[in-house]
Amino acid sequence: MPGTVLLLAASPMGKGCLVDAASVLPVLAAVPPPVLAGTDTANVVELADPLDPQAVLTRLRAAAVAPGPLTLFVAGQLQLDRRQRLPHLALARTTPPTVRYTAFPWHWFREELRLRAPGSTTVVLDLRADPETWDWLRGNVLDCGPTAAVYGRIAPPPVRRAVAAPSYMRAVATILRSGGRPAIERLHQAALARIAGDGEVGDLVLTPFGGPVGRAVPDAPGIPAVAPGAPFALAVPDAFRVPVGPGVSPASAAPDTSDVPVTSGAPLSSVASVASVASGAWALADGPAASDAHAVPRAPRPRVPGPVAPVPGVASGGPDRRDSDPHVAISTAVRAGRHADADVLAAHLEQTAAASYGPGSEEALHWAEVRADLAMFAGDAERSCRTWMAVADARLEAGQPVDAPAVEAAVDRAHHQWGRIHDVPRARELGPAIAQLRGRVPGRREGALDHVRQQLRQLQTQG
């Protein structure tokens, strides 16, 4: 099957530039596409110093839904937005005060890659952090989702505000140009050896899955030995876990239903071939449907409710623990077109979680979000919209702020699904509630409330 390669190099113009990211693109572009992808044939998309985060999102989204292996090569500069202190990939027009609006939010990588099958996505990073982001990395994780294998490095700010070179990515490209395609692990180690030989030290090294967790190259005091690119849940063999933190995306886990502690997990990857969840937050602005889905800290480690009751037509139990994983059973039912069976199982899990932890608990809301996505997969936009609205209301009633990532995500998705309701009377009926919710939670994109009002006016003139 052909592979897909996305080459992305971005950094700000002017004095805010810390790395000349685009300088590596000619070297990468000189590598034959099959070598870049590690497949017999490949399609390559190149983005050099893009101006608009939406343009990057469009390219990433198209690459994420492509069948076959996906390889992302990303070189650039990391900065935090001043409002939520979340990492972004700086683009050409990014300045410190405008990061939130002109840079590419890093959690969009996670959101767009979350439904890809495990083992099908490789991300190679060469990033330069500004001083604030470098401090942020001491206590936070930068990742691309639980199924993406991430390799590369994050370098500290260059001294004396000099413009650095993406030397790790250049080393990767040079090795690939020399002929052959070494395994990605060997390629990564060879590139690290090259830049170490040139005297580059102090980088935060990214390694995937259950291998050695990220390490700080010697002479980097105070930097934690963690892997910002490592998806932690997959590092534990045979332990399937469910995300329970606020805002964790509804299709981002593969838990074991036995009594196992949980943190984060693998997505409903098998659903990826059925549909792409994030097809645009709303019609006039093609933002991600869940803009900040994984951005907030996860909750303490509760335990998953006990084994679920069997559901007719849905596999359960067996010698392989994956067979009893409800997410896998739900995915299997969706792929087979048994949407009602999938919803019955998710509803049972939601009721069980609500009885055990409370209807407003993260455990119960997780399964409510799963049901919202299942309604979308089944083509029932109205039910999906109503479910996302209920999730948003529950989070607001629990005291979560209107700009909390999980709240914004739920409202964005409710808005998007409302726009997909083809039954005019039903859409018109829901319009005032959507407008009220949008008034409380405007989200990241300017004009969201105006869009709802405009659509509602159009619906009022229709039969």
Side-chain angles (χ1 to χ4, degrees):
M1 183 175 293
T4 300
V5 177
L6 178 61
L7 307 178
L8 171 58
S11 54
M13 298 182 291
K15 63 180 182 180
C17 180
L18 302 180
V19 59
D20 184 9
S23 65
V24 76
L25 282 181
V27 188
L28 280 170
V31 180
V35 177
L36 286 173
T39 56
D40 293 336
T41 59
N43 301 310
V44 178
V45 177
E46 179 179 321
L47 286 174
D49 282 330
L51 300 175
D52 182 11
Q54 293 298 317
V56 179
L57 177 63
T58 298
R59 297 290 190 176
L60 175 62
R61 181 170 294 159
V65 300
L70 171 63
T71 307
L72 276 64
F73 294 88
V74 182
Q77 176 175 324
L78 290 175
Q79 293 182 228
L80 301 180
D81 73 285
R82 292 181 173 178
R83 182 176 179 181
Q84 291 183 309
R85 312 295 294 171
L86 299 177
H88 291 62
L89 181 69
L91 303 184
R93 294 186 294 197
T94 298
T95 62
T98 66
V99 169
R100 179 174 170 85
Y101 305 103
T102 62
F104 188 81
W106 195 264
H107 53 264
W108 286 7
F109 282 108
R110 293 196 302 271
E111 181 62 26
E112 296 306 318
L113 299 177
R114 68 187 177 94
L115 291 182
R116 288 191 57 82
S120 68
T121 307
T122 302
V123 183
V124 181
L125 302 177
D126 190 351
L127 303 172
R128 183 73 58 167
D130 71 356
E132 288 183 326
T133 309
W134 190 245
D135 288 340
W136 181 89
L137 288 167
R138 297 174 185 269
N140 295 275
V141 173
L142 186 80
D143 70 272
C144 294
T147 62
V150 181
Y151 297 86
R153 62 91 180 254
I154 303 175
V159 296
R160 299 177 183 177
R161 303 294 295 179
V163 176
S167 53
Y168 169 84
M169 194 69 76
R170 183 176 293 274
V172 167
T174 301
I175 294 168
L176 292 176
R177 287 185 65 187
S178 64
R181 213 306 186 165
I184 185 63
E185 295 86 356
R186 292 177 55 198
L187 176 64
H188 171 64
Q189 294 299 330
L192 289 177
R194 286 200 179 201
I195 64 174
D198 293 335
E200 292 201 33
V201 295
D203 295 348
L204 201 60
V205 176
L206 312 180
T207 56
F209 303 140
V213 294
R215 59 182 178 85
V217 176
D219 300 332
I223 302 301
V226 297
F232 290 95
L234 294 187
V236 183
D238 300 323
F240 301 102
R241 303 172 175 186
V242 58
V244 295
V248 176
S249 68
S252 63
D256 172 23
T257 55
S258 62
D259 196 25
V260 178
V262 295
T263 51
S264 63
L268 289 169
S269 56
S270 57
V271 179
S273 60
V274 180
S276 172
V277 172
S279 57
W282 42 288
L284 297 186
D286 195 24
S291 60
D292 285 291
H294 293 68
V296 298
R298 292 183 175 90
R301 299 173 61 174
R303 308 182 81 81
V304 180
V308 299
V311 177
V314 178
S316 62
D320 187 343
R321 295 177 67 184
R322 291 179 184 266
D323 292 341
S324 61
D325 167 18
H327 291 80
V328 173
I330 290 170
S331 300
T332 302
V334 171
R335 294 186 66 185
R338 300 196 307 273
H339 298 287
D341 288 341
D343 187 64
V344 166
L345 177 54
H348 174 83
L349 290 163
E350 181 184 3
Q351 293 168 4
T352 301
S356 299
Y357 304 108
S361 66
E362 285 302 324
E363 294 85 350
L365 290 176
H366 166 75
W367 291 111
E369 291 174 344
V370 168
R371 296 189 69 195
D373 268 353
L374 290 175
M376 181 205 67
F377 288 131
D380 191 341
E382 180 187 351
R383 180 159 57 92
S384 181
C385 173
R386 290 183 183 275
T387 307
W388 281 118
M389 290 173 63
V391 169
D393 286 337
R395 292 191 180 281
L396 290 169
E397 289 175 5
Q400 295 186 25
V402 295
D403 62 348
V407 174
E408 289 185 343
V411 177
D412 284 347
R413 290 192 172 196
H415 186 166
H416 174 61
Q417 289 300 305
W418 177 66
R420 298 176 66 88
I421 299 173
H422 301 301
D423 187 317
V424 173
R426 308 293 285 182
R428 189 166 51 228
E429 176 188 346
L430 272 174
I434 287 288
Q436 182 180 15
L437 192 57
R438 262 300 179 207
R440 297 178 65 189
V441 186
R444 283 176 165 260
R445 299 302 306 276
E446 294 183 5
L449 179 57
D450 290 339
H451 173 260
V452 173
R453 290 170 174 167
Q454 176 187 346
Q455 290 296 102
L456 192 52
R457 285 193 298 268
Q458 292 179 358
L459 289 170
Q460 298 293 350
T461 63
Q462 299 178 24

